[in-house]
Amino acid sequence: MAIDTAFWSGRRVLMTGNTGFKGSWMTLWLQDLGAEVSGLAPGPPTEPSLYELARLASDIPQAAVDIRDHEAVTDAVRRFRPEVVIHMAAQPLVRESFITPRETYEVNVMGTVNLLDAVRLAGDHVQAVLIVTSDKCYENREWEWGYREDEPMGGYDPYSNSKGASELVTSAYRSSFFGDPAGPRVASVRAGNVIGGGDWADDRLIPDIMRATLAGEAVAIRRPDAIRPWQHVLNPLSGYLEVVQRLCTDPSFATAFNFGPDEGDARPVQWLVDQIEARWPDPISWQIDPGPHPHEATYLKLDSSRAKARLGWAPAWGLATGLDAIIDWYTAFRDGTAPRDITLDQIRAFARDYDNPDGSPA
Ligand SMILES: NC(=O)c1ccc[n+]([C@@H]2O[C@H](COP(=O)([O-])OP(=O)(O)OC[C@H]3O[C@@H](n4cnc5c(N)ncnc54)[C@H](O)[C@@H]3O)[C@@H](O)[C@H]2O)c1
């Protein structure tokens, strides 16, 4: 496994949802590899945002358009002439999807249709399209085994279901319009419970804890027993880069890939809270929020055997290392270090570990 700087250097990449948490980490990594990144999103989804804090707004050409606007999305693909398209734009929150189900479907499902259709109509120069969905795309059977890529799509709540539907859209577009090996190749990637510095989204565990703690308030913890496959954001992003690299040279990579942590890193919410408390320099105040809460699965694990076998991918940072990095990020932020510098330092440290998993001298 290796991230190929020569592949990315000078490559035109259009990223939808680039103003978000994952999009900002991905943009910085791609820029560091020498890629020419352009973005498509109306603006940052949170205040503050890593996008603003890392000064990405002044850095890249941006189409400030809504993914629901097919014409504007097509224009952006025509204007930026990307060789690689990474689709991250979404309404990404389960609880929000109970409040705005229609919008969630419109953004997540029709947004995927619009993006793929824009590539169909205006994407002669596109070699690879990566559709980012979620581990929640699967029909969740509340079992203790990891889901494999070929298992049925599903989703109890509108968010999860919209991601399953986005996968079905991707599959239909791939077989109907992108079968020509000389044309754009389309893969989808499924990861979940991604954690890292610079996330400020509502209703996510680490942002909830950090927001409250930095403000000197108590944090409310929901579902302490729920088990989730926690992983540092750079783990799946390294997998996304690998998929694109392979997709450009081999059409057999036009399929779906799971990116999950190792078995031991699927942990209950309460365990994660305890780990953060043990690492944060000051006391953290929290209490259990008894609810009621909207439905969420108790068990959710991914089987990443395909990514390991076909890409040689493995999570370079286990959960303990990832948590150390997160605490370093927020303490540096609290102490006034520039977020762009903290984030780039962590990307470079991760890349070294990824390229040299045994830790042997380079
Ligand atoms: N963070 C996680 O734990 C996680 C887990 C599984 C899947 N994902 C998926 O990864 C992707 C990125 O997630 P994130 O955590 O960075 O979320 P985020 O909320 O930080 O970013 C979402 C991005 O989508 C953009 N967006 C929202 N509505 C839009 C619209 N109508 N038109 C155009 N752009 C729009 C936002 O502006 C932002 O740039 C999403 O597809 C999400 O479903 C995230």
Side-chain angles (χ1 to χ4, degrees):
M1 63 185 198
I3 305 302
D4 183 357
T5 312
F7 172 91
W8 291 104
S9 180
R11 199 166 285 264
R12 294 188 307 278
V13 181
L14 170 62
M15 190 159 23
T16 76
N18 64 301
T19 60
F21 163 61
K22 282 166 81 173
S24 298
W25 278 90
M26 192 63 147
T27 302
L28 280 167
W29 197 348
L30 285 169
Q31 285 184 328
D32 211 38
L33 290 165
E36 291 174 22
V37 184
S38 52
L40 188 158
T46 55
E47 168 57 47
S49 68
L50 181 55
Y51 174 76
E52 296 279 5
L53 292 170
R55 301 189 313 278
L56 287 166
S58 55
D59 248 17
I60 57 172
Q62 184 77 18
V65 303
D66 195 304
I67 199 76
R68 289 169 287 185
D69 183 342
H70 178 237
E71 206 175 315
V73 174
T74 308
D75 281 351
V77 171
R78 200 168 276 128
R79 177 152 63 99
F80 294 132
R81 299 185 56 76
E83 297 158 281
V84 171
V85 177
I86 301 177
H87 178 47
M88 290 199 185
Q91 190 300 95
L93 303 171
V94 173
R95 285 166 73 91
E96 173 65 23
S97 81
F98 281 95
I99 302 164
T100 58
R102 256 187 79 249
E103 289 82 348
T104 300
Y105 279 108
E106 283 175 356
V107 173
N108 294 1
V109 186
M110 284 313 293
T112 304
V113 172
N114 289 344
L115 190 269
L116 288 170
D117 211 62
V119 173
R120 178 179 75 87
L121 295 173
D124 299 345
H125 29 73
V126 175
Q127 296 164 0
V129 183
L130 195 72
I131 304 292
V132 176
T133 66
S134 170
D135 58 350
K136 295 192 171 66
C137 66
Y138 295 103
E139 180 188 329
N140 193 305
R141 304 185 195 180
E142 292 288 353
W143 65 26
E144 52 280 86
W145 303 290
Y147 293 91
R148 294 183 186 167
E149 286 84 349
D150 295 337
E151 286 185 86
M153 296 294 101
Y156 178 104
D157 59 88
Y159 169 72
S160 306
N161 191 260
S162 74
K163 287 290 178 176
S166 171
E167 284 283 352
L168 296 176
V169 165
T170 303
S171 168
Y173 262 78
R174 184 193 293 120
S175 40
S176 304
F177 305 115
F178 299 120
D180 178 356
R185 296 166 186 170
V186 181
S188 65
V189 285
R190 307 164 181 172
N193 291 90
V194 172
I195 55 179
D199 193 1
W200 307 98
D202 284 334
D203 292 327
R204 280 187 190 153
L205 184 61
I206 304 263
D208 284 350
I209 294 175
M210 286 303 146
R211 217 181 348 257
T213 301
L214 291 170
E217 294 166 3
V219 61
I221 303 295
R222 299 183 303 270
R223 304 181 194 284
D225 300 329
I227 295 174
R228 295 285 178 267
W230 310 101
Q231 59 183 333
H232 193 274
V233 60
L234 290 169
N235 282 327
L237 295 191
S238 62
Y240 300 177
L241 294 174
E242 291 268 18
V243 173
V244 172
Q245 289 174 196
R246 305 297 179 89
L247 203 50
C248 285
T249 53
D250 183 344
S252 75
F253 284 85
T255 185
F257 288 90
N258 286 341
F259 293 101
D262 288 336
E263 174 78 9
D265 287 346
R267 296 281 194 171
V269 165
Q270 182 66 61
W271 182 91
L272 207 72
V273 174
D274 294 343
Q275 292 295 313
I276 293 169
E277 199 173 18
R279 286 169 168 79
W280 189 253
D282 306 315
I284 286 184
S285 163
W286 57 270
Q287 68 219 11
I288 303 289
D289 172 359
H293 305 298
H295 173 276
E296 272 192 59
T298 303
Y299 284 103
L300 179 50
K301 290 187 196 168
L302 284 181
D303 182 329
S304 307
S305 303
R306 178 181 285 172
K308 288 180 180 169
R310 298 213 54 209
L311 302 167
W313 175 87
W317 281 359
L319 190 48
T321 310
L323 284 169
D324 288 343
I326 290 169
I327 298 304
D328 286 349
W329 197 101
Y330 284 101
T331 42
F333 170 73
R334 182 196 64 175
D335 298 343
T337 308
R340 188 184 181 99
D341 297 342
I342 318 164
T343 311
L344 269 173
D345 281 353
Q346 295 198 342
I347 288 169
R348 289 171 186 160
F350 178 92
R352 282 192 296 277
D353 291 347
Y354 186 81
D355 289 341
N356 188 21
D358 304 330
S360 45

